[in-house]
Amino acid sequence: MRYVRCLDKLDMTDNIIKICVNLSNLCHLCAIKYNAKLSFNMKNRLLTWIFGVLAICLSAPLAAQVSFGNAQKFNDGWLFRLEDDSTFKQKACDDTKWRKLDLPHDWSIEGQVSPDLASCTGYLPGGIGWYRKHFKVSDKQARHYIYFEGVYNRSEVYLNGHLLGKRPNGYISFLYDLTPYLKEGEDNVLAVRVDHSRSADSRWYTGSGIYRDVWMVSAGDIHFAQWGIGWKATSLTDRRATVAVDVEVQKHVDAVGKLEVKVSLSDAQGKEVAKASRKIADGKVGTAKETLTLRVNKPNRWDLDTPYLYTLKTELLADGKLIDASETNVGLRTLEFDPNKGFALNGRWMKVKGVCLHHDAGVLGAVVPPEVWERRLLNLKKYIGVNAIRLSHNPQAPVLYDLCDRLGLLVMDEASDEWEFPKRKWIKGWNKGEPGYQGSYDFFEEWIERDVTDMVRRDRNHPSVFLWSIGNEVDYPNDPYSHPVLDGTTINQPMFGGYKPDAPDAMRIGVIAQRLAACVRAVDTSRPVTGALAGVVMSNQTAYPEAVDVVGYNYTENRYDEDHATYPDRIIYGSETGSGIDTWHAVRDRDFIFGQFIWTGTDYLGEAGAWPSRGLGTGLLDFASQPKPRAWFRASMWKEEPVTYAGTYPKNRWVSPDAWDVWNYEPGQEIRVVCYTNAPQARLMLNGKEVGTMKPYDDNSGIIYWDIPFEAGELVAEGCDASGKVLSSYTLRTTGRPYAIRVKADRETLSAGKATAHIEIEVVDEEGLPVKLADNEITCRVEGPARLLGLENGANNDMSEHRDNRQRVHMGRLLAYIQAIGEPGDIRITFTSPLLQKAEVVIKAE
């Protein structure tokens, strides 16, 4: 099957972003929302989901994922003030001295880190802020809406002083109708209050403000409903796919003429392969629902290696005149889940090799450009062999799902980390001192069912999404729920003491799980519902495991065999695990465990240790999305291609998966050299001579090692097959003193929109070898139509300012984020440091 890469619109400011499709090729992208549906049946203890995934977006030049109308980005020309005043909502408020900025915006990452703030959110501040925007509307459309992809948190939105609505959840996308209060041709003022005064309300960094894109959507009085187009394949074989297209039409007035819906599907070359149409019988005010059927001969399938995408066009006509349209990419696939065999994609039984990801990007905070997401995902897939992402622990930016659709990554979409009672939030360091108890629990009962429903409606048509998670670790023993089983002697899970009768009753977990699972199934019965259980022993006493279709176990590998025997119909996987080899063996060696999600794919802000600490530091990639040694260790288990890595440290009694690739020590010093490889055996060469005899792969530790005296030169670890043939190798070289700066840009051009480039900076010696022990301070200067977003060195304990133009390298490396400002011209970026030869790179803004 040939894979034809699809064009996606990602930057919508009248310019198309050029972003990296793979590490060597550039292509133009456009922001199209992919959505998905599948159906499942259970028979004789075999739970099978047969899935045809179809994705939707708008046909307008600029498209949000709302599935109706003409959407234009509404990010430019906002005003901001970091304080609270009730008069800020009024149209007449004097905002002439407010700060001018463009969205998305995260004010927390701009703040000053302090040991007096909470470690759970990376020692960064919260607060209350207001955003205002003046605008005029003159497009003559009957209705206008404002669509926010995400505002953290407890937002209130006003138009010309009138409250449009409130949305406390900072991760949920939402839309308001501006029409009743909009003044055509006059100055209108949109005001948004964001209340993150409960700054320590999460166990990790959230950011503060309007941190995702905002869209203005214009439409007629009759249009497709918000998220009102859904798809599912009622059958899918190599010969034919039958696809049901569900359409909701919103009518604010009675239809004057006859309404009709048309749908058509085109392949990757633009050839139409299926079409259908249907009259809408009810033209009265309200919502009309219709289902159309498409039949596709010899369908191409969406898969991890060949994520084939069709294009679907949906049109709404009145008396033959087009009044609304939606165009999107479409993917088709099948999923199967079985309690004994695990998971199959398109009929191929496989292991899910997943990682958990939070939504921040270090120095960038919660505002993560699409190019940054793409580089991160590509690095996870390329360096480590990742094939799945868990969105921890909340719905994330639409662009992330779009990229996973296009790149071929499975997605576990997750609703929340907290239910009706608060969890512990650490203030002085992870598991240090007394916790705080701020959180989202206070609006749980009022909003959770709508939040879960909106997550599923927004994301249901993405081919990448294969699991709906209703919650993470809500059952952690005694945080907050408790049960008499916690007094048992056989339980070996972490808990805060034994049974606590005064704590919330754990039986509540099952009741809530049933409610939320019903919310998911009311929208989409095509994928399984899951939950990430942290207290499996306790939850087994409740209705929680039975309320979901697939049961996730967090850090509870020791329960796999026992629970599989006790609950033979239960489908089990590792929803959150450590990165050690034992957690992988627990998956590899059991057909009935279909996969795992490692904590975490990349370092993230918050959940930090005692000061100084930016985060927990468990990522396979660092804050700059560069692979750490543990990434190579995991790659040796997951990658199908040959992998060999060598790291070193002074000899001790530990064999470490976190050894850096440094070969600079004192002459004669005893050094331990470790090798991570997927080859059957490996040997060690120093300056062309064998200094480490051939050793077999150690399946218990996953690490081959040698202890040798240090000698300067070239050290090479060679992974070999059974006959001694070298399959792959890794080279370390003794380096000299820091001599020069070397830079490499990931692209030669940037669109005139807000595209972002990555500039990788290395300190090298006179021979051009990277000096891993260097810690020089680098100064960055940008000339031309671009701005520096920040300098990221990836160091977890570096609490210095990362958003100015000076930063020290860590392990000899630094990453600069350069963003175009919307004008053409040459962008010259220069890097200097005392005693080092400078370097520069030129990027053209188009």
Side-chain angles (χ1 to χ4, degrees), residues 225-348:
Q226 178 190 358
W227 304 323
I229 303 175
W231 314 90
K232 59 183 176 183
T234 55
S235 66
L236 177 58
T237 69
D238 291 340
R239 294 183 60 188
R240 175 175 288 191
T242 303
V243 180
V245 181
D246 298 319
V247 178
E248 297 177 14
V249 177
Q250 186 70 46
K251 296 158 291 173
H252 296 274
V253 298
D254 290 341
V256 176
K258 294 181 179 180
L259 297 178
E260 182 182 17
V261 173
K262 291 184 176 181
V263 294
S264 62
L265 192 68
S266 300
D267 65 17
Q269 289 77 32
K271 179 183 177 182
E272 185 178 280
V273 296
K275 64 180 179 180
S277 64
R278 179 178 289 269
K279 303 290 186 183
I280 297 176
D282 185 3
K284 295 182 179 180
V285 171
T287 302
K289 299 181 180 180
E290 299 289 346
T291 299
L292 298 86
T293 300
L294 294 173
R295 292 180 174 84
V296 184
N297 292 325
K298 296 182 179 179
N300 292 299
R301 300 201 186 204
W302 184 94
D303 211 327
L304 300 181
D305 296 324
T306 56
Y308 191 95
L309 296 170
Y310 291 89
T311 300
L312 183 84
K313 187 174 184 179
T314 309
E315 297 177 312
L316 179 62
L317 300 94
D319 282 340
K321 180 181 179 181
L322 184 67
I323 59 174
D324 200 2
S326 173
E327 187 174 286
T328 184
N329 289 329
V330 169
L332 300 171
R333 68 173 182 184
T334 63
L335 300 177
E336 295 176 71
F337 293 85
D338 180 79
N340 296 308
K341 299 170 65 177
F343 167 71
L345 176 64
N346 293 321
R348 178 174 61 90

Side-chain angles (χ1 to χ4, degrees), residues 125-139:
I128 300 177
W130 281 81
Y131 296 85
R132 287 169 60 89
K133 181 177 171 76
H134 295 256
F135 66 99
K136 293 182 179 181
V137 170
S138 57
D139 60 12

Side-chain angles (χ1 to χ4, degrees), residues 71-87:
Q72 304 282 335
K73 271 199 176 169
F74 207 59
N75 288 340
D76 296 343
W78 286 76
L79 304 170
F80 174 70
R81 192 156 180 174
L82 188 55
E83 63 176 281
D84 191 25
D85 190 317
S86 61
T87 65

Side-chain angles (χ1 to χ4, degrees), residues 131-175:
Y131 296 85
R132 287 169 60 89
K133 181 177 171 76
H134 295 256
F135 66 99
K136 293 182 179 181
V137 170
S138 57
D139 60 12
K140 305 302 180 181
Q141 284 281 11
R143 310 197 72 82
H144 294 83
Y145 302 84
I146 193 73
Y147 179 68
F148 295 88
E149 291 185 358
V151 182
Y152 203 91
N153 63 346
R154 302 174 187 269
S155 64
E156 303 172 10
V157 181
Y158 300 85
L159 177 62
N160 296 327
H162 299 277
L163 177 65
L164 299 179
K166 301 180 180 181
R167 199 62 183 254
N169 192 320
Y171 299 111
I172 294 294
S173 300
F174 56 93
L175 177 142

Side-chain angles (χ1 to χ4, degrees), residues 679-845:
Q681 56 184 350
R683 65 186 173 204
L684 191 64
M685 311 293 291
L686 177 58
N687 296 325
K689 299 179 181 179
E690 184 177 285
V691 293
T693 58
M694 190 81 77
K695 290 186 177 182
Y697 177 79
D698 183 354
D699 193 52
N700 292 321
S701 69
I703 301 173
I704 301 170
Y705 73 94
W706 305 267
D707 295 327
I708 65 172
F710 173 74
E711 177 186 331
E714 181 179 85
L715 185 71
V716 181
E718 296 179 341
C720 304
D721 65 12
S723 67
K725 178 183 177 182
V726 177
L727 300 175
S728 58
S729 63
Y730 198 90
T731 300
L732 287 69
R733 294 181 177 88
T734 306
T735 60
R737 294 181 178 276
Y739 175 75
I741 302 170
R742 182 168 63 200
V743 299
K744 180 177 66 175
D746 68 341
R747 64 203 64 219
E748 297 178 353
T749 59
L750 286 173
S751 78
K754 300 294 178 63
T756 302
H758 299 81
I759 313 296
E760 296 181 358
I761 302 113
E762 284 186 312
V763 174
V764 299
D765 65 11
E766 287 191 81
E767 296 182 10
L769 300 176
V771 182
K772 295 293 179 69
L773 299 180
D775 66 349
N776 304 72
E777 183 178 81
I778 306 291
T779 299
C780 175
R781 180 182 179 186
V782 179
E783 300 174 274
R787 65 182 182 128
L788 174 67
L789 296 180
L791 295 170
E792 180 58 76
N793 62 9
N796 187 49
N797 63 351
D798 187 344
M799 309 303 286
S800 65
E801 175 59 62
H802 285 70
R803 295 176 65 85
D804 60 12
N805 70 331
R806 295 191 301 171
Q807 185 57 256
R808 288 192 178 276
V809 298
H810 173 64
M811 297 303 296
R813 298 187 305 199
L814 189 65
L815 181 70
Y817 297 105
I818 306 295
Q819 187 176 68
I821 61 173
E823 301 172 3
D826 288 343
I827 305 167
R828 185 177 302 274
I829 308 107
T830 306
F831 299 91
T832 59
S833 182
L835 305 178
L836 298 182
Q837 290 189 356
K838 71 176 184 179
E840 67 177 31
V841 63
V842 177
I843 300 175
K844 183 176 290 294

Side-chain angles (χ1 to χ4, degrees), residues 444-747:
F444 173 85
E445 190 60 38
E446 179 180 0
W447 287 98
I448 189 59
E449 292 186 13
R450 183 174 175 183
D451 287 345
V452 170
T453 299
D454 284 356
M455 175 188 77
V456 179
R457 280 181 61 84
R458 190 195 73 169
D459 300 337
R460 61 181 163 159
N461 297 326
H462 281 284
S464 56
V465 176
F466 82 128
L467 288 171
W468 300 118
S469 172
I470 57 175
N472 171 65
E473 295 187 348
V474 295
D475 62 333
Y476 201 96
N478 288 322
D479 190 18
Y481 296 97
S482 195
H483 189 279
V485 74
L486 298 182
D487 278 337
T489 58
T490 60
I491 186 169
N492 58 1
Q493 289 182 254
M495 68 181 86
F496 296 96
Y499 174 51
K500 298 183 178 181
D502 295 334
D505 185 356
M507 301 305 287
R508 290 280 303 157
I509 299 172
V511 175
I512 295 172
Q514 290 170 334
R515 284 173 52 199
L516 301 188
C519 291
V520 174
R521 295 179 185 125
V523 180
D524 180 26
T525 58
S526 61
R527 301 175 187 80
V529 181
T530 188
L533 279 59
V536 176
V537 172
M538 184 173 74
S539 285
N540 281 343
Q541 307 301 312
T542 77
Y544 191 1
E546 285 70 39
V548 299
D549 305 304
V550 176
V551 186
Y553 282 41
N554 283 15
Y555 307 104
T556 326
E557 291 83 5
N558 65 292
R559 299 290 305 186
Y560 287 170
D561 293 332
E562 180 178 347
D563 281 14
H564 178 59
T566 305
Y567 311 102
D569 290 338
R570 183 177 295 181
I571 301 170
I572 303 173
Y573 70 104
S575 45
E576 186 172 317
T577 77
S579 59
I581 193 171
D582 56 329
T583 69
W584 173 239
H585 287 175
V587 176
R588 184 198 67 180
D589 298 340
R590 292 166 175 83
D591 289 342
F592 65 89
I593 301 297
F594 70 74
Q596 68 174 151
F597 290 89
I598 290 174
W599 192 263
T600 56
T602 186
D603 284 343
Y604 59 96
L605 297 174
E607 212 164 22
W611 178 278
S613 175
R614 300 165 68 193
L616 193 58
T618 58
L620 302 178
L621 307 180
D622 65 18
F623 286 114
S625 293
Q626 295 279 13
K628 295 154 71 173
R630 60 177 52 194
W632 290 97
F633 182 56
R634 178 54 53 161
S636 70
M637 305 173 215
W638 279 1
K639 290 279 287 183
E640 296 181 2
E641 301 84 358
V643 171
T644 297
Y645 169 90
T648 70
Y649 49 90
K651 178 183 176 181
N652 60 31
R653 61 192 181 95
W654 302 110
V655 180
S656 174
D658 293 308
W660 287 93
D661 51 348
V662 174
W663 193 237
N664 283 72
Y665 296 96
E666 294 295 325
Q669 184 179 1
E670 282 291 306
I671 303 301
R672 175 154 293 174
V673 182
V674 296
C675 174
Y676 317 143
T677 184
N678 56 8
Q681 56 184 350
R683 65 186 173 204
L684 191 64
M685 311 293 291
L686 177 58
N687 296 325
K689 299 179 181 179
E690 184 177 285
V691 293
T693 58
M694 190 81 77
K695 290 186 177 182
Y697 177 79
D698 183 354
D699 193 52
N700 292 321
S701 69
I703 301 173
I704 301 170
Y705 73 94
W706 305 267
D707 295 327
I708 65 172
F710 173 74
E711 177 186 331
E714 181 179 85
L715 185 71
V716 181
E718 296 179 341
C720 304
D721 65 12
S723 67
K725 178 183 177 182
V726 177
L727 300 175
S728 58
S729 63
Y730 198 90
T731 300
L732 287 69
R733 294 181 177 88
T734 306
T735 60
R737 294 181 178 276
Y739 175 75
I741 302 170
R742 182 168 63 200
V743 299
K744 180 177 66 175
D746 68 341
R747 64 203 64 219

